[in-house]
Amino acid sequence: MLSLQMQGSHVVIGGWIEDLRKLGKITFLTVRDVTGLAQIIVKDEKVIPEDLTRQSVILVRGIIQSTKARDFQYEIKADDVEILTKAVHPLPIDPIGRLESNIDNRLNARALDLRNQRVASVFKIRHQVLASLRKELEKRKFIEITTPKIIGSASEGGANLFSLEYFGKKAYLAQSPQLYKEQLTIGLERVFEISSFYRAEKSHTGRHLSEFTSVDIEAAFFDYTDVMDVLENLVVSVFSDVEKNCKQELNTLERKLQIPKQPFDTITYSDALDELGKAGINLNFGDDLLDSHLKIIGTNHPGFFFLTDWPMSLKPFYIHEKDDEAKISRSFDLQYGHLELSSGGRRLHEPAKIRARLIEQGLDPASFEDHLRTFDWGMPPHSGWGMGLDRLMTVIIGTDNVREVVLYPRDPERLTP
Ligand code: AMO
């Protein structure tokens, strides 16, 4: 790192020209590299290459001296400026964000968009979130796994799968690691995966992508309330780690993080129906909660809260019922206001029960045979959840568009770059 203490030293720095101003015969450049921004002053016109453009990559040789500039502690008086790579002019977007570009233009020039320090900050925070999740899960003895993304049959049932041709056979892109993570509790007991998964839904919202990053856990001998505890503590640790380790990035984004208060509120599905009833919407037990319903419930509960005790009829085949009420599941969603961040629950682990549930849901046990076999090999009682990392990032950053927090988002309209 350069500093004023190095006054008088000869230095060589490389970086991108962020700004360029000529004042008479003097040229001022600001050059950025991974360590920050430096001001370069060029007094000799012959030292400045012709047609120097913003975003060109240059090598500067010069001497460190004190400066009158308000935003810098020192400047470099350049003896030599060499262009390593010239950038075009005009650029497709203004990378320092002085001229605002719309999200589509920015995504079309994403590599350049990241030279905007606000955008780079989002992805540095995302890096910290991933590091924090891994650290916390490792502390709790979870082992990171990587499961196949090309699969031979639908993992959870349902129709929202991308299909592809696989050496003459039909294959699919995995929508979640659900079946594998459950199977792996036999051998590894506590597992987690952080990977891309795929949903062929024609959704055009700020929270749906065709390719999203899911954080999944599965743990033997945990009930659903135990994995809810893990989830709550993980979310709080992520917020604290971001707050502690990303001060500069939060500052750049002008974002003040509130560490969520614990314990998170819990409301049951029946409580939600009551709240809707008070708002004049009368649903029956078993009706799904639509976006418009979640908006109302989210207004009543603006922060993090768990929504539990969903009807079994709304849950996938692998979810366990409550012992005392067979119509209600041992399952939950984690909400942030109206936004669903995660869903999970206790799973069926008895072979006969899971076969019966598949049939009850109109699914064919024969197409799940590889999975069902593992239930005869000592399947422990287990629970888990899946959380949308991209959605969690939108909460941390404070945006309502998931495309802001994904480098190269994929949605029904976007397959490039
Ligand atoms: P579910 O389908 O609810 O559950 O997905 C879990 C979480 O993943 C995120 N998510 C998405 N994020 C962005 N774009 C999408 N298209 C998208 N779809 C889902 C959401 C959601 O809450 N197997 C179960 C989880 C489990 O029980 O362990 C599952 O996939 O944040």
Side-chain angles (χ1 to χ4, degrees), residues 156 176 178 181 199 201 207-209 212 216 318 340-344 347 384-388 391:
E156 302 203 19
S176 94
Q178 185 63 39
K181 66 175 180 171
R199 305 270 167 118
E201 294 160 22
R207 60 183 198 283
H208 288 96
L209 291 174
F212 73 104
D216 278 88
Y318 47 79
E340 178 199 314
L341 285 177
S342 170
S343 61
R347 327 298 193 180
W385 44 255
M387 171 171 65
R391 291 191 186 177

Side-chain angles (χ1 to χ4, degrees), residues 175-273:
Q175 63 195 144
S176 94
Q178 185 63 39
L179 308 190
Y180 292 109
K181 66 175 180 171
E182 286 194 52
Q183 292 174 21
L184 290 169
T185 62
I186 295 176
L188 298 171
E189 296 189 31
R190 295 179 196 179
V191 295
F192 77 98
E193 175 158 16
I194 305 179
S195 285
S196 298
F197 288 94
Y198 303 87
R199 305 270 167 118
E201 294 160 22
K202 280 232 153 140
S203 302
H204 296 87
T205 74
R207 60 183 198 283
H208 288 96
L209 291 174
S210 313
E211 180 177 59
F212 73 104
T213 301
S214 185
V215 182
D216 278 88
I217 77 159
E218 204 64 37
F221 310 112
F222 278 47
D223 205 342
Y224 73 119
T225 46
D226 301 318
V227 290
M228 283 164 69
D229 281 349
V230 172
L231 181 54
E232 177 176 318
N233 285 311
L234 224 55
V235 166
V236 171
S237 298
V238 163
F239 271 68
S240 319
D241 285 340
V242 168
E243 154 94 338
K244 193 166 77 210
N245 302 325
C246 300
K247 290 206 183 329
Q248 194 182 328
E249 289 76 15
L250 290 169
N251 217 7
T252 303
L253 290 166
E254 298 159 80
R255 177 97 183 128
K256 193 152 171 34
L257 264 198
Q258 301 278 0
I259 311 294
K261 283 213 177 65
Q262 287 187 277
F264 293 175
D265 280 350
T266 295
I267 67 163
T268 64
Y269 168 86
S270 298
D271 295 336
L273 293 196

